[in-house]
Every structure is written in C-alpha cells, then in structure tokens.
Amino acid sequence: MTSASALDGNALGGPLGELFTFDITSAVATCAGCGRRSPGAAWVVFVDAPGIVARCAQCERVQLRLVNDGTGRTWVDLSGIETLEIAAPRGGA
Amino acid sequence: MARTTVLGRLSWRVATVSSRAPETSRAVTLVLDVPDWPGHRPGQHVDVRLTAEDGYQAERSYSIASAPGDPALALTVERLDDGEVSPWLTTVAAPGDVFELRGPVGGYFVWDGSEADPVLLVGGGSGVVPLMAMARHRARQAIPTRMRLLYSARSEQDLLYRSELDGLAAGDDGFDVVYALTRATPPGWTGYDRRVDGAMLADVSFPERHTSPAFVCGPTPFVEAVANSLVLLGHPPGRVKTERFGPTGGGS
C-alpha cells in the first residue's frame, strides 16, 4: 500500500525535463531490483524527501534520486534502473 | 494541434494572467498568456514556481484544463488552505500578474484521440481537470471515440465544470458523464451517493474493458483504489494510466 503522501512519476516530468530532452513519464524502465518493466509515470515518488526519490511500485527499490546541492549543481542517481527505453523526443509521437 | 514537437529541454517561462473565473468556492480557472507557448497534449500538466521577496521558492504541478485547440492556456487550481502555491493562485492572482511556468510536462497521461477504443475517465476532486482537457479535445475535434467520465466529488457544490459536462453529455455523440457525491447529495439526486467502488466501476466500465484504456486522476488513495478495482474488472494493467495528486482529499 502506497503512503498517502506519495506522488507518482508524473511529478518527475518537469524536474527531469530541465535536464534531459526525453520524457521520463513515458519512458519504460526496467527495475534493477526485481526486473519489473514500467513507465516512469508508475514509479512511487516522494518530493518531500531531501531532493526527489522515485521507487519501484513493485519492490520499492530506489530507481532514481535527484538532488540540487545548493550551489547550482544537480546530482542524479540512476543506479536502480537497469535500462530505459525511450520512444521518441518529448512531445513527439 | 493534437501533437506538437518540442525538442530540447523544458525551461521556465513567464506566464501572465489574462483572466480568472471562479469554478467553485475553492477552485478558480486562470487563463494565461505565455509567449511562444509550444502547445500541449490533453492530460499534460505544468509546473508553477512562485518566488517570495526573500528568494524562497515553491513549486507545484497543475493540470492543463484547456484543449490544445483552445485560444489560450487555462489551468484550474483548487485552493489548499495549507498550500504554498494554490492560495496565491486562487485568491490573489489577478489579470496582469505574472509567475513562472514550466511545461508542457508529461507524455504518459495523455489521450489525444488517436485510438478508436472507448475510453473510461475516472476523476476524484480536482483530478477531473486533465480529464476535462481530454473531453474538451474530443468535443472540439469531433472525435467519435466513445468516452465516459466517472467524476467523484464531495458535494454538488464541489463539482467543477458541471454545466459544461452536462452540455457535452446532452449530445448524442458518444460522451457521457456519471457523478458520485461522497458526502452530501441534493434532493432528487440521481447520480451515485457514495465513494467510487468496484460495483460502481463495473456499472460504468465499457464492455470492451479487456482491451480499452482508462485514465484515473485524483488523490493518491483514490487512484490506488480505482486502479486496483479496474484491473480486477479486467482492464489490462498497462492500459490503466494513473496520475496522483497527493493528499488533497478532494474526492474522498
């Protein structure tokens, strides 16, 4: 059961869209923990952690962490993602 | 334009409020002027950033209410009393005021009418907003795909877009709307008078539910319960698209 304070991966679209040219919400990720394949939109996302944390909806492994360190530098940890399938540029079809 | 190609990264733009219209006692639609706005797809959202005089910044996401073909971008915002962004947007922002906006965001929670399968929309509280963009797009473009909206709110006074939805459903073009009021119903109410549940979803689901898409948007517990019920009813999990608002409580 997901915590009531959780959002989902739709909330990552803006913050990651500033860094990357692809849309994370429709990209299909394979979890490095359990192998589940799901669109980024289906991750469980906490924006009130220090930074932003996205977890696999099946095994809860951290998929992605994004932190601004306050000096204008952004850190992105993608170690929980085995692969990302990206269909088309943002907004394309 | 149903589809726009926006290559490159998202960046913050300046939005100017061109008009505001109350929807309910807690919700306002803001029509915005955003220079060089690239267009959007139905279901997408934007991020809004406010900056205080001391430099403190707060960001929140709001769904786009307007259809891509509408003359201007419109957001419908519900006021959360302890919110950092919605109180300003709903009670202070006036024509001529400016704020920062990033978007359009998201390619997943999008319905642009390119599939013929009938589509079920389920909205809780202000979760109806991106679904309204889909319904408006369908109407503006005369898309024949059947569409049904199940819309849950606390009371009749909390329903957004009531007259427009009833107008869209009055036609014989394959759109209909079903309301569920969870706390108070007016005399003579013919809609549902309880929270959305599995029996209700079984009533409103299309016979084609084993192959057709569904879009669910609302507070996190609402979305979890509805999405799980839809899968139990036979909707393919990959065809049930969800967007969670967090604890706004609007539909429960």
Side-chain angles (χ1 to χ4, degrees):
Chain A
M1 188 65 196
T2 303
S3 150
S5 70
L7 297 175
D8 62 32
N10 292 294
L12 298 173
L16 285 179
E18 277 199 32
L19 305 170
F20 301 119
T21 58
F22 67 93
D23 169 43
I24 190 68
T25 72
S26 53
V28 177
T30 302
C31 173
C34 68
R36 173 186 161 104
R37 283 166 44 81
S38 71
W43 289 332
V44 180
V45 169
F46 299 89
V47 296
D48 49 2
I52 298 174
V53 177
R55 291 180 177 273
C56 174
Q58 180 166 282
C59 75
E60 299 188 354
R61 171 144 173 181
V62 172
Q63 304 289 285
L64 178 154
R65 294 184 295 162
L66 185 151
V67 177
N68 295 308
D69 70 2
T71 69
R73 193 172 293 264
T74 301
W75 295 76
V76 185
D77 169 6
L78 301 167
S79 60
I81 303 169
E82 192 167 274
T83 59
L84 263 185
E85 277 175 57
I86 299 155
R90 180 198 325 291
Chain B
M1 294 252 298
R3 287 179 180 162
T4 52
T5 300
V6 188
L7 298 172
R9 304 182 197 180
L10 295 175
S11 58
W12 292 98
R13 302 162 185 272
V14 174
T16 304
V17 178
S18 46
S19 68
R20 53 177 289 142
E23 298 282 355
T24 67
S25 64
R26 306 180 57 82
V28 169
T29 291
L30 297 175
V31 178
L32 305 175
D33 177 34
V34 185
D36 301 319
W37 177 249
H40 72 277
R41 300 172 70 194
Q44 287 189 305
H45 67 270
V46 298
D47 297 330
V48 170
R49 180 165 73 185
L50 301 183
T51 304
E53 286 181 11
D54 64 1
Y56 177 77
Q57 293 187 318
E59 280 177 38
R60 292 294 184 275
S61 297
Y62 296 100
S63 290
I64 299 171
S66 48
D70 288 350
L73 182 69
L75 310 179
T76 302
V77 180
E78 184 181 45
R79 187 182 75 244
L80 302 179
D81 292 331
D82 56 353
E84 292 191 331
V85 176
S86 65
W88 186 83
L89 289 174
T90 53
T91 61
V92 179
D97 285 344
V98 297
F99 57 84
E100 288 182 291
L101 177 148
R102 180 176 62 196
V105 179
Y108 165 81
F109 199 80
V110 164
W111 182 87
D112 54 19
S114 57
E115 297 181 73
D117 300 303
V119 56
L120 177 67
L121 313 177
V122 185
S126 55
V128 75
V129 175
L131 310 178
M132 190 64 186
M134 298 174 188
R136 285 172 165 161
H137 178 65
R138 180 185 176 282
R140 307 283 194 273
Q141 302 297 318
I143 295 167
T145 303
R146 278 176 295 154
M147 175 181 279
R148 179 172 296 148
L149 169 64
L150 173 60
Y151 176 14
S152 169
R154 288 172 176 163
S155 72
E156 190 177 32
Q157 291 75 29
D158 292 311
L159 290 170
L160 298 169
Y161 318 124
R162 175 78 190 280
S163 60
E164 184 177 348
L165 284 170
D166 287 347
L168 290 175
D172 188 23
D173 72 345
F175 176 85
D176 59 281
V177 59
V178 180
Y179 301 106
L181 300 182
T182 59
R183 295 202 183 164
T185 53
W189 177 250
T190 57
Y192 291 105
D193 61 355
R194 62 182 200 268
R195 291 185 181 209
V196 174
D197 55 28
M200 193 186 298
L201 290 166
D203 287 348
V204 304
S205 271
F206 289 105
E208 298 92 333
R209 60 178 171 264
H210 297 278
T211 55
S212 65
F215 290 82
V216 185
C217 186
T220 297
F222 173 90
V223 170
E224 299 275 328
V226 170
N228 289 337
S229 291
L230 289 175
V231 171
L232 287 174
L233 284 169
H235 279 272
R239 298 282 269 160
V240 179
K241 295 193 172 182
T242 51
E243 185 164 74
R244 294 160 178 83
F245 271 7
T248 67
S252 52

